[in-house]
Amino acid sequence: FYSENASRMLDTFNPGKEKMQAAVILYFRVLDAENSHCLLPEVHELQRLRKMLGSHAVFRAANPTGHYELDLAVQADRMVASKLLESALYEGGARSWRNIKYDHRNIITTMGGPPEWLRGLPNTGLLVLDYTSSVLPEKEDLPLNDKEYRDFLLDVVANDSGRITGVGSICRLRESSVNIFVTAKQAC
């Protein structure tokens, strides 16, 4: 469902802890996370949600490719891990989870996540993995040309000195990643 629908669901809750926990769960279920500012009408609630989400406030289920370090005892981290499992299943069980470590032990799998986790994620432990999506863009989704790509990097991602560094740049890139397409050469 969409952010607008999730907002209506959240309206049924009284302000407080339960509403915020529901907002975290719904955040990872909406199809248009780029419109998540619509989830909660009160600015202080939206700020609290972003604080609860931490770095996951820029997680995009439509493009989950990335490196993850998740504490499964933390609600937002568990939600991301759950969404990554679902994404792997949606992608046909492709080997989308790579370099997996759970509590500092290597995990070898030929599919998305460990098969036993399909029945339920562990409630604790540190999960580290790289997620590689195998979903291809639609034929009409053309990559940016080189000039558009340079302009995008300078306008959206780069800091004041024109460099692409730091968490802020990575967050802006992740937020934009569902709206742009680049070539492998540009990504290098």
Side-chain angles (χ1 to χ4, degrees):
F1 46 88
Y2 293 94
S3 294
E4 182 181 328
N5 306 110
S7 178
R8 283 194 291 255
M9 285 184 234
L10 290 170
D11 284 344
T12 66
F13 286 83
N14 291 324
K17 184 179 177 181
E18 287 181 355
K19 181 176 185 177
M20 297 312 298
Q21 288 175 330
V24 168
I25 292 168
L26 291 172
Y27 176 83
F28 292 107
R29 297 287 177 215
V30 296
L31 298 171
D32 61 339
E34 66 273 10
N35 294 322
S36 63
H37 60 278
C38 301
L39 283 176
L40 298 162
E42 299 294 327
V43 173
H44 72 279
E45 287 181 325
L46 191 55
Q47 289 171 337
R48 188 171 167 205
L49 173 62
R50 288 197 173 128
K51 185 176 181 181
M52 291 173 75
L53 293 170
S55 63
H56 304 312
V58 292
F59 174 80
R60 298 294 179 257
N63 184 8
T65 296
H67 177 76
Y68 295 88
E69 295 184 17
L70 306 168
D71 179 349
L72 298 180
V74 175
Q75 181 188 21
D77 286 13
R78 279 182 58 77
M79 293 301 301
V80 168
S82 177
K83 199 67 182 166
L84 292 174
L85 268 175
E86 287 176 22
S87 293
L89 288 173
Y90 171 78
E91 292 183 24
R95 191 166 170 261
S96 49
W97 285 38
R98 300 171 183 271
N99 309 315
I100 309 166
K101 289 189 179 206
Y102 175 63
D103 278 345
H104 308 287
R105 290 185 314 270
N106 290 331
I107 303 228
I108 308 296
T109 180
T110 58
M111 56 171 287
E116 61 273 16
W117 289 8
L118 296 176
R119 292 186 298 278
L121 286 169
N123 292 322
T124 60
L126 179 65
L127 173 64
V128 178
L129 69 117
D130 296 313
Y131 189 95
T132 307
S133 178
S134 61
V135 174
L136 298 174
E138 300 293 329
K139 287 183 181 181
E140 64 271 8
D141 294 329
L142 300 175
L144 300 176
N145 65 42
D146 288 341
K147 181 186 180 324
E148 291 169 330
Y149 180 66
R150 280 191 304 279
D151 290 346
F152 164 76
L153 291 178
L154 289 173
D155 292 345
V156 177
V157 182
N159 62 21
D160 293 337
S161 65
R163 299 197 50 142
I164 302 170
T165 59
V167 173
S169 293
I170 298 300
C171 289
R172 288 189 300 279
L173 180 61
R174 172 122 351 253
E175 286 177 319
S176 302
S177 69
V178 296
N179 300 316
I180 64 158
F181 300 93
V182 298
T183 65
K185 182 180 175 185
Q186 291 168 330
C188 291

